[in-house]
């Protein structure tokens, strides 16, 4: 079962990578036109591309970019929302929700410098994006679960914390290199 989920994710990754690259190029050109200077910061550029790729992949996997949007399910009262949170029903899908948002939190902290100042921002960025995804799923007839929001938020926070640690280590190594010279 896990293997089939991973195969589907791999296919979706292959489908969105070119779109992500095109969006990244347009974003980079727009940034250049606004700032009027060319800054080549490989780490930041990698994070920007990774963030765009991750957002597109999440939107594809959750059906947002491929779904058939309509308001009939919302206005007819056919929206299915589950507020159940159960550790007993912990499944592979629940684990994949957590894993899916780790790169989102990781790259968000790399792209948005202001997020790194307080840990609550790591939770908020994941919560806001997860709620947005779950809200949009109501318009394509998908099942909305509170458990998904919690797992997505937790995954984003884990990724956020990992990036904060990576940046701290990078800064320490840079400071260590400066002291040696």
């Amino acid at each position: 079962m896990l293997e089939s989920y991973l195969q589907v994710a791999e296919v979706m990754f292959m489908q969105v990578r070119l779109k992500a690259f095109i969006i990244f190029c347009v974003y980079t050109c727009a940034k250049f036109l606004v700032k009027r200077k060319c800054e080549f910061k490989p780490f930041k550029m990698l994070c920007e591309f990774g963030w765009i790729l991750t957002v597109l992949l999440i939107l594809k996997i959750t059906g947002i970019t491929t779904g058939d949007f309509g308001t009939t399910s919302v206005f007819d009262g056919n929206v299915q929302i589950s507020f159940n949170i159960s550790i007993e029903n912990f499944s592979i899908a629940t684990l994949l929700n957590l894993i899916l948002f780790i790169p989102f939190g990781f790259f968000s902290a790399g792209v948005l410098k202001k997020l790194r100042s307080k840990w609550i921002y790591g939770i908020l960025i994941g919560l806001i994006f997860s709620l947005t995804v779950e809200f949009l799923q109501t318009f394509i007839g998908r099942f909305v679960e509170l458990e998904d929001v919690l797992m997505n938020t937790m995954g984003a926070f884990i990724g956020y914390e990992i990036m904060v640690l990576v940046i701290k280590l990078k800064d320490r190594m840079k400071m260590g290199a400066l002291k040696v010279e």
Side-chain angles (χ1 to χ4, degrees), residues 42-61:
F43 183 74
K44 183 164 175 69
M45 292 175 80
L46 180 66
C47 287
E48 290 168 348
F49 176 72
W51 189 84
I52 292 167
L53 181 65
T54 301
V55 168
L56 289 177
L57 194 56
I58 288 171
L59 294 177
K60 179 99 172 158
I61 288 172

Side-chain angles (χ1 to χ4, degrees), residues 11-91:
V11 168
M12 290 183 177
F13 173 79
M14 300 304 268
Q15 292 172 345
V16 300
R17 65 185 176 161
L18 181 60
K19 290 176 190 173
F21 184 71
I22 292 168
I23 292 170
F24 172 73
C25 289
V26 169
Y27 169 75
T28 303
C29 290
K31 211 167 59 168
F32 170 73
L33 291 173
V34 170
K35 290 185 175 182
R36 296 282 183 200
K37 64 179 180 177
C38 187
E39 295 179 331
F40 184 73
K41 297 181 177 178
F43 183 74
K44 183 164 175 69
M45 292 175 80
L46 180 66
C47 287
E48 290 168 348
F49 176 72
W51 189 84
I52 292 167
L53 181 65
T54 301
V55 168
L56 289 177
L57 194 56
I58 288 171
L59 294 177
K60 179 99 172 158
I61 288 172
T62 57
I64 305 290
T65 57
T66 56
D68 186 22
F69 275 87
T71 56
T72 54
S73 63
V74 175
F75 292 125
D76 291 343
N78 293 334
V79 176
Q80 298 177 356
I81 301 174
S82 170
F83 294 103
N84 294 335
I85 300 172
S86 173
I87 295 173
E88 299 163 0
N89 293 337
F90 195 81
S91 65

Side-chain angles (χ1 to χ4, degrees), residues 89-105:
N89 293 337
F90 195 81
S91 65
I92 291 176
T94 305
L95 180 63
L96 290 175
N97 273 326
L98 183 120
I99 293 169
L100 180 63
F101 271 71
I102 289 175
F104 174 75

